[in-house]
Amino acid sequence: MSETIFISSIATKEEKYQELVPQLKALIENETDIIANMANISAALKEVFNWWWVGFYLVKGEELVLGPFQGPIACTRIKFGKGVCGTAWKEQKTILVPDVEQFPGHIACSGASKSEIVVPVFNSKNKVFAVLDIDSEHFDILDETDIIHLEKIARLLISTNE
């Protein structure tokens, strides 16, 4: 697989995901290194959707530790159950926040972040080993379409974390 992602410039968000997901699968299916795969997924999502920040936090003990990402400098560690990332990990479900100012306990790694989605990444034993965190500098830009497809993308990482 080429290390280039091809997405139609006139595609809708749904169409972009439909083009992107199979390309990501092909890109990572023969790579066993989870960090390399997270790095490429972060880069592809940032390139295709131009979000403010896209990246992963990895579960290390009772906190999340910054992993591969694209965007400005970020928080390095997040405690279990804290902020949107820690809450998604604790609740083991995707959390969509249209306005981060309205999320109790939001951790402001960047004042430019206005909305956020965090998707837990599960291993084959259904245990969260990471979260995919996406921040936008626009309010209410992330939606159900993102939830559906980002959860598909997170599932691509199951086989690379065996």
Side-chain angles (χ1 to χ4, degrees), residues 93-94 119-120 146-156:
K93 68 177 187 180
T94 298
V119 179
D146 298 299
I147 292 172
I148 291 166
H149 294 287
L150 292 171
E151 287 178 349
K152 284 180 190 175
I153 290 168
R155 285 192 295 274
L156 294 175

Side-chain angles (χ1 to χ4, degrees), residues 25-59:
K25 183 177 182 185
L27 180 65
I28 71 171
E29 68 186 350
N30 292 319
E31 178 53 63
T32 59
D33 189 278
I34 191 71
I35 300 300
N37 288 333
M38 289 177 165
N40 273 332
I41 288 172
S42 297
L45 288 169
K46 177 84 164 124
E47 181 180 333
V48 170
F49 295 103
N50 197 30
W51 289 311
W52 177 252
W53 196 92
V54 179
F56 291 88
Y57 283 91
L58 301 151
V59 173

